[in-house]
Amino acid sequence: MTAELDAPASGTTDDSDVVLEAEGVSKHFPVRRTGRDVVKRTTHHVHAVDDVSFALRRGHVTAMVGESGSGKSTVARVMAQLHRQTAGTIRLHGEPVDVRGGRRFRAYCRAVQMVFQDPFASLNPIHTVRYHLTRALRIHGNAGRTRAEREAALEDLLASVQLTPARNYLDKFPHELSGGQRQRVAIARALAADPEVLLADEPVSMLDVSIRLGVLNLLRDLKDRLRLAILYITHDIASARYFADDIQVMYAGQVVEGGDSETVTQSPAHPYTRLLVESAPDPDRLTGRTDAPEDSAQGEPPSLISPPSGCRFHPRCPFAMDRCSVASPPRLEVGDQPGHWAACWLFDTPSVEAAS
Amino acid sequence: MSEPVLEIKNLSVDYGMGPDAVQAVRDVSLTLHRGEVLGLAGESGSGKSTLAYGMTRLLPPPGVVSGGEVVYHPQDGAPVDILGLNRPQLRKLRWSEISIVFQGAMNSLNPVHKVVTQLCDVIKAHDKRSTPASRRARAAELMKLVGINTDRLDSYPHQLSGGMRQRVMIAMALALEPSVVIMDEPTTALDVVMQRQILTQLAELRERLGFAVLFITHDLSLLVELSDRIAIMYGGRIVEEANARQLYREPLHPYSLGLLKSFPALRGERRELTGIPGSPPDLRAMPSGCAFHPRCPRAFEPCADRDPVLAAPEDKTRSVACWLHVPGAGRTAENSTSSTTARS
């Protein structure tokens, strides 16, 4: 990563900035077969992620927003290669990734690290902060040769997550730390590998509201300082707007809309994104008069074992046309901002004209 | 404002006894008026759930209500002190007058009984003369009320989605038409879209049935939209209480301001947010004076020594426990106020 550090400053988003890329990635999980399935020789699958493509750029935060069960965490796990994708390609610096454990997996981990949702569960309660960080440093060969070098590395790590002075924290056990401090230790552990990509799976949703922003601001600071590419997975679209540069919206295993975060949140195009934005609490819409707009969608996300045909949102969509239940919409330009797209037939100009 | 339906007076709740007791709720007074939605906001550990369980006497040991009064005013009849009731009286009051929708309601349904059995159970326990047919009819009516198809009556909880289970819990809470419903983080486990659907329905139901709601959550932006009045808890105390609009437009307590600033806005300008420095206090070792002073950007000389009292600053419609709003609390008050405004 040291070589690329001298790359031109942010603002340019050409292809050379792309660190990690997913192309048509799908992940299906087999469902336990019932007696009848065995006889009929069929196996059902949960289509957790279907045909997802996006790119993570250096010094850029990409948010993946969706409800629970939309497959956003599976995307992170596939990107980290904790699950192997069913179909599609993941590229690190343009090279297709093919790791099945062992040395190559470790090398991949060095570049792509994960931060998990629950710092209470992701740190081992019987080990100190020092143990957690030293182990990560050793495994990834960043511990230095002498004890002094290792200590210096530990101090640097804790300083980078704003836990100073380091000696106050190094010999503490996880239960002696507050939730925010724990999550900072988990981030420090990810940084110990000196990664280029950070996959943050709901990094603040388990923390108290008053300390969430501190952790998000820390991640942003790290992104700027270390030029990390961050995938921020969240269900909170308001925090995605605050923290991320780009937003991808997931619904039922597919990415339905993407664009820069201001555009997606301020002028959402896909009916699902509109529903999501409308549903978010809005203090300016005061006291109880929560009259949802007439055309707002009802119902619940579909089963992913047998997802709906065509567009997966069509059973709930107030704008559904005949075409929606037949054919799955491709990414279509919305046209208001460059790079803003939605997978919705409403933005296919000929079909809209034909309908009207 | 309408008459009060539930008055909490100087309630204190401890965990444990003797010198090791941890004071989870300290000297809280709160009034819920008939038909209003009162929001109670605070971080985890601020004592908001303990307050709800303490006032309904649902607190499991080692929780002890160590002082105060909780007075319930029935529609007709004399006020009752809930803390002084004996078991049969309490049993009668619970659910028929005050009901609760629990935190994590998804797990509060019995997995081995059908939804209809659980709904009928509530009615049967309080109305001995009801017949199985009338109970089933009432259960169906309740399901319709919360927008679930009645053919779901014979489902088991695991056959329902999270949102539906939550609605069943709300239906159950409304079964006996109580005048107070306490909701302890009823939508925290749900997705925003489902949360919106349930809250919209709740607003409709409240308009139709006229019950009062004590809505407990950590999501202040949700409360501002939903409730009439909001009380903010920190470290076991209420630090500010005001009309929802007032609290949103001009919060007086620095903690309220910090909380409001902790939620990124989805609409309007994109601004830089800081959150609140430090972490929530440890109830076993509370800071001296105002519990918030170690994290407070505007703390000055009296804050560390003396506890501020919850009082009305100028008008009677709201109250705040902060030395900044006590005239003459210290010369330095003016200075520190002006310096912070200059900085921001």
Side-chain angles (χ1 to χ4, degrees):
Chain A
M1 122 168 233
T2 39
E4 283 90 1
L5 260 182
D6 306 313
S10 61
T12 53
T13 50
D14 57 281
D15 287 346
S16 64
D17 270 355
V18 173
V19 188
L20 192 65
E21 204 179 351
E23 198 187 292
V25 167
S26 301
K27 177 69 197 170
H28 298 174
F29 294 104
V31 181
R32 199 175 62 182
R33 297 163 85 185
T34 60
R36 191 186 297 163
D37 294 336
V38 175
V39 173
K40 290 170 108 182
R41 299 197 177 170
T42 53
T43 313
H44 293 291
H45 284 91
V46 175
H47 298 238
V49 173
D50 259 335
D51 195 20
V52 166
S53 305
F54 63 94
L56 300 178
R57 297 190 161 81
R58 198 179 297 290
H60 226 71
V61 180
T62 304
M64 192 67 89
V65 181
E67 291 175 273
S68 54
S70 62
K72 55 195 196 304
S73 289
T74 307
V75 166
R77 277 150 203 259
V78 170
M79 294 305 272
Q81 287 291 293
L82 299 178
H83 296 314
R84 209 180 143 69
Q85 68 271 24
T86 313
T89 326
I90 293 173
R91 290 203 189 85
L92 181 65
H93 296 301
E95 298 283 317
V97 172
D98 179 29
V99 291
R100 293 196 181 165
R103 196 171 295 160
R104 276 150 90 193
F105 177 64
R106 198 162 281 184
Y108 184 73
C109 283
R110 204 157 292 155
V112 180
Q113 280 282 311
M114 236 182 132
V115 176
F116 294 93
Q117 177 174 14
D118 185 356
F120 294 77
S122 66
L123 297 176
N124 190 332
I126 62 167
H127 287 304
T128 58
V129 172
R130 181 191 297 276
Y131 176 90
H132 282 112
L133 298 183
T134 311
R135 188 156 186 267
L137 285 170
R138 278 233 181 89
I139 286 174
H140 297 292
N142 296 327
R145 238 170 264 142
T146 62
R147 196 192 184 95
E149 275 178 32
R150 195 177 70 219
E151 288 298 310
L154 285 175
E155 265 179 46
D156 283 352
L157 272 184
L158 284 180
S160 68
V161 293
Q162 295 160 10
L163 289 178
T164 47
R167 62 174 186 283
N168 286 2
Y169 297 98
L170 272 174
D171 293 307
K172 288 228 161 110
F173 287 95
H175 74 265
E176 295 175 288
L177 303 173
S178 71
Q181 290 168 340
R182 258 180 270 207
Q183 194 58 289
R184 281 164 199 259
V185 171
I187 293 170
R189 180 174 59 181
L191 294 178
D194 199 6
E196 295 171 69
V197 180
L198 214 53
L199 306 171
D201 187 0
E202 305 245 16
V204 296
S205 65
M206 296 292 282
L207 304 178
D208 267 320
V209 275
S210 70
I211 51 186
R212 281 183 192 173
L213 278 172
V215 173
L216 282 187
N217 287 344
L218 167 73
L219 281 172
R220 173 148 57 188
D221 175 53
L222 289 172
K223 171 204 82 174
D224 291 338
R225 215 145 38 85
L226 308 174
R227 305 254 298 134
L228 290 171
I230 297 183
L231 177 66
Y232 173 58
I233 290 177
T234 184
H235 62 269
D236 179 5
I237 195 166
S239 77
R241 178 198 179 204
Y242 173 71
F243 177 54
D245 303 297
D246 298 324
I247 292 182
Q248 313 266 328
V249 181
M250 273 195 93
Y251 178 74
Q254 294 175 323
V255 179
V256 296
E257 182 168 355
D260 76 90
S261 58
E262 272 313 288
T263 316
V264 172
T265 51
Q266 300 313 300
S267 48
H270 195 282
Y272 174 67
T273 318
R274 286 188 222 168
L275 173 69
L276 205 60
V277 169
E278 266 164 28
S279 304
D282 178 11
D284 285 314
R285 185 162 44 178
L286 275 161
T287 58
R289 311 287 165 263
T290 49
D291 308 314
E294 293 289 311
D295 55 6
S296 116
Q298 292 293 320
E300 288 163 11
S303 149
L304 293 182
I305 296 177
S306 49
S309 61
C311 170
R312 291 189 178 173
F313 190 61
H314 87 262
R316 297 172 73 185
C317 183
F319 308 106
M321 306 174 272
D322 294 340
R323 190 178 185 181
C324 299
S325 57
V326 185
S328 190
R331 296 184 171 198
L332 296 162
E333 284 295 319
V334 176
D336 52 351
Q337 290 285 332
H340 186 200
W341 60 270
C344 179
W345 287 121
L346 287 175
F347 299 95
D348 185 25
T349 336
S351 86
V352 176
E353 277 166 8
S356 59
Chain B
M1 194 165 284
S2 60
E3 55 185 310
V5 59
L6 194 67
E7 276 181 286
I8 304 168
K9 292 177 187 165
N10 308 95
L11 190 75
S12 294
V13 181
D14 291 356
Y15 283 108
M17 304 279 263
D20 295 336
V22 171
Q23 275 207 309
V25 172
R26 298 187 292 162
D27 199 17
V28 165
S29 299
L30 204 59
T31 307
L32 182 64
H33 299 273
R34 212 168 280 284
E36 81 171 344
V37 179
L38 174 60
L40 190 58
E43 292 178 85
S44 51
S46 62
K48 52 194 196 308
S49 294
T50 306
L51 173 67
Y53 295 148
M55 69 192 224
T56 45
R57 290 185 53 191
L58 284 169
L59 204 62
V64 186
V65 175
S66 57
E69 263 185 275
V70 180
V71 183
Y72 171 70
H73 299 268
Q75 195 94 48
D76 37 8
V80 237
D81 182 7
I82 295 178
L83 299 182
L85 294 180
N86 59 24
R87 270 178 173 281
Q89 286 170 324
L90 196 60
R91 229 184 132 89
K92 227 178 130 193
L93 177 99
R94 275 185 188 155
W95 225 259
S96 61
E97 307 288 340
I98 300 175
S99 65
I100 300 196
V101 178
F102 288 100
Q103 191 166 10
M106 332 218 341
N107 305 326
S108 324
L109 289 168
N110 190 333
V112 300
H113 286 297
K114 290 176 182 172
V115 168
V116 67
T117 321
Q118 302 189 45
L119 278 168
C120 290
D121 233 19
V122 177
I123 307 164
K124 194 174 167 187
H126 284 269
D127 186 1
K128 297 280 185 279
R129 284 167 304 165
S130 61
T131 60
S134 75
R135 286 198 288 269
R136 200 183 158 87
R138 174 71 181 146
E141 197 181 312
L142 285 167
M143 294 284 267
K144 251 186 262 161
L145 200 64
V146 293
I148 305 180
N149 205 322
T150 44
D151 55 15
R152 289 296 205 158
L153 272 174
D154 286 308
S155 305
Y156 288 93
H158 74 269
Q159 295 170 314
L160 304 176
S161 72
M164 281 168 133
R165 268 179 277 189
Q166 194 68 53
R167 284 171 208 231
V168 170
M169 286 305 293
I170 293 175
M172 206 178 275
L174 299 176
L176 303 169
E177 302 191 346
S179 27
V180 178
V181 180
I182 297 169
M183 303 205 154
D184 187 9
E185 309 238 12
T187 56
T188 309
L190 300 175
D191 290 314
V192 275
V193 178
M194 190 50 66
Q195 169 174 299
R196 167 70 54 202
Q197 288 179 14
I198 287 185
L199 293 181
T200 311
Q201 209 153 49
L202 189 68
E204 281 171 23
L205 286 176
R206 193 177 63 93
E207 221 135 270
R208 197 132 44 98
L209 306 175
F211 50 89
V213 180
L214 179 64
F215 198 98
I216 301 173
T217 179
H218 63 268
D219 190 346
L220 192 54
S221 54
L222 185 71
L223 275 189
V224 170
E225 193 187 318
L226 176 88
S227 42
D228 302 315
R229 266 185 324 130
I230 296 178
I232 309 239
M233 276 190 93
Y234 186 78
R237 273 169 191 278
I238 290 184
V239 294
E240 182 164 3
E241 190 195 328
N243 179 307
R245 189 183 296 264
Q246 269 181 332
L247 191 98
Y248 178 60
R249 298 265 182 260
E250 36 158 0
L252 293 181
H253 200 282
Y255 177 64
S256 319
L257 181 69
L259 263 190
L260 280 170
K261 278 205 187 150
S262 296
F263 290 99
L266 191 51
R267 295 165 188 85
E269 235 175 281
R270 192 166 161 163
R271 47 194 176 152
E272 199 53 38
L273 300 166
T274 48
I276 306 175
S279 30
D282 181 358
L283 289 173
R284 283 163 300 183
M286 288 298 273
S288 63
C290 170
F292 187 59
H293 87 263
R295 300 174 76 187
C296 184
R298 298 176 66 182
F300 62 113
E301 141 261 314
C303 297
D305 309 327
R306 285 176 290 153
D307 230 342
V309 188
L310 190 69
E314 63 272 343
D315 49 5
K316 286 278 171 267
T317 55
R318 61 189 302 182
S319 48
V320 60
C322 180
W323 287 117
L324 285 172
H325 303 286
V326 179
R331 279 291 104 196
T332 36
E334 315 306 315
N335 301 337
S336 78
T337 316
S338 53
S339 67
T340 28
T341 30
R343 238 186 298 138
S344 56

